[in-house]
Amino acid sequence: MVLVRDVMNWLDSWAPFCYAQSWDNSGLQLGDPEAPADRVMVALDPGSDVVEEARTLGCGCVVTHHPLLIRPISAVRTDSWPGTVIVRALMAKMSIVAAHTNLDAAREGTNARLRDLLGLEETVSLEAEAIHADSTQYLGMGLSGKLPRALPLRDLARQLSHSLGEIAVKMIGDPEKPVRRASICTGSGASLIGHVLSAGSDVFITGDIKYHDARLAEESGLAMVDIGHFASEKLVLEPLAAYLESKARGEGAQMDVFISRVEKDPFRIVGGKC
């Protein structure tokens, strides 16, 4: 029988929890490490819809990228989030495990998936922690490298939109500007703009770009493409599910792993004109 602690150990082998940022709360969020986990769901967020989907499939464990609890809470109220999720999961005897910034920084994590989608070459870490620099599993928070060929910013934005499922993307900068050296950071990467500028990148691809970050990039001559938080990270779900299944098989155990089909990007685009 697969237990929650087995799933956590396998996650730790792929994306060591020690890679998590100091402010983060990766690891077991809810439940019992000794509880059964022969059916597991993988998702980006531990939302009510994902927990309900997992319950209907009989999953004893949900592995998410984003933590359910990232800041201390003073009460668990069942009429508001996160209490609504906590009570649903507990009533279903479900454990929730988060692999957050440790998965971002891992060799096969979120940034690696976006790198591969772009075909980024000669990559180096934008912000590597020295304590992990010698680890074969550590990639770093954000990457810088070269696109296979130079192309106009507009074409890169269109390529990303198409590759990520015809999603809406935003770009900052001259649409005709040729870009070749690119930096990437899945999720919210605006805090790395200084590192991106130091790397001499033509373009920065990330999500959650705020207005003043866009102005800073504009004034600095840095092009940016905002592909959204959800789209930039959902790329990791299929390989993560496949990895967990393979680890279970390698241990001679039967474990069914599902990828959430109900969770969607919370943002919707209505109208607009470029």
Side-chain angles (χ1 to χ4, degrees):
M1 177 184 293
V2 178
L3 302 178
V4 172
R5 64 173 165 80
D6 296 319
V7 174
M8 292 178 64
N9 287 336
W10 297 336
L11 285 170
D12 194 49
S13 295
W14 206 51
F17 289 109
C18 65
Y19 293 171
Q21 299 285 290
S22 59
W23 52 264
D24 194 15
N25 188 31
S26 291
L28 184 61
Q29 304 283 291
L30 189 71
D32 181 356
E34 300 303 317
D38 55 346
R39 291 170 79 83
V40 173
M41 173 157 286
V42 172
L44 282 185
D45 297 294
S48 298
D49 53 351
V50 169
V51 169
E52 179 59 21
E53 180 186 18
R55 186 193 66 78
T56 61
L57 291 170
C59 296
C61 181
V62 175
V63 175
T64 61
H65 180 44
H66 298 126
L68 173 63
L69 303 170
I70 199 164
R71 297 181 183 90
I73 57 175
S74 58
V76 180
R77 292 187 51 150
T78 59
D79 62 344
S80 62
W81 185 90
T84 48
V85 174
I86 292 171
V87 71
R88 285 189 186 194
L90 288 175
M91 289 180 68
K93 297 183 179 179
M94 186 185 301
S95 298
I96 297 177
V97 181
H100 191 207
T101 51
N102 57 308
L103 186 57
D104 292 326
R107 186 182 63 187
E108 300 296 334
T110 59
N111 283 293
R113 300 303 163 180
L114 184 55
R115 174 201 63 195
D116 295 346
L117 181 76
L118 287 161
L120 212 57
E121 303 165 348
E122 302 174 25
T123 56
V124 294
S125 175
L126 277 176
E127 187 183 44
E129 293 191 17
I131 58 173
H132 301 310
D134 295 331
S135 173
T136 58
Q137 291 293 88
Y138 188 75
L139 190 66
M141 298 295 291
L143 300 171
S144 180
K146 287 184 178 179
L147 295 166
R149 61 185 178 85
L151 71 169
L153 175 62
R154 187 196 306 275
D155 290 354
L156 174 63
R158 286 173 173 163
Q159 174 186 313
L160 282 161
S161 172
H162 175 71
S163 300
L164 292 168
E166 306 301 339
I167 64 166
V169 303
K170 295 184 288 186
M171 61 182 179
I172 296 113
D174 179 358
E176 303 305 322
K177 175 185 177 178
V179 294
R180 178 73 190 277
R181 175 158 287 280
S183 289
I184 62 171
C185 180
T186 55
S188 302
S191 64
L192 295 178
I193 287 179
H195 294 277
V196 173
L197 291 171
S198 296
S201 295
D202 303 315
V203 61
F204 185 26
I205 301 159
T206 187
D208 293 345
I209 300 171
K210 296 182 179 179
Y211 179 84
H212 293 291
D213 297 324
R215 284 300 192 199
L216 171 61
E218 190 177 55
E219 292 292 336
S220 303
L222 173 67
M224 297 184 79
V225 182
D226 186 334
I227 59 176
H229 200 124
F230 182 88
S232 73
E233 294 182 331
K234 71 174 184 178
L235 297 168
V236 80
L237 297 182
E238 286 193 11
L240 175 57
Y243 166 78
L244 291 174
E245 284 186 331
S246 70
K247 289 298 288 186
R249 284 196 303 270
E251 297 288 336
Q254 174 63 41
M255 183 176 74
D256 297 320
V257 182
F258 305 90
I259 300 172
S260 175
R261 300 303 178 193
V262 301
E263 81 172 342
K264 296 179 175 60
D265 193 326
F267 293 99
R268 298 287 182 269
I269 306 298
V270 179
K273 182 179 181 181
C274 291

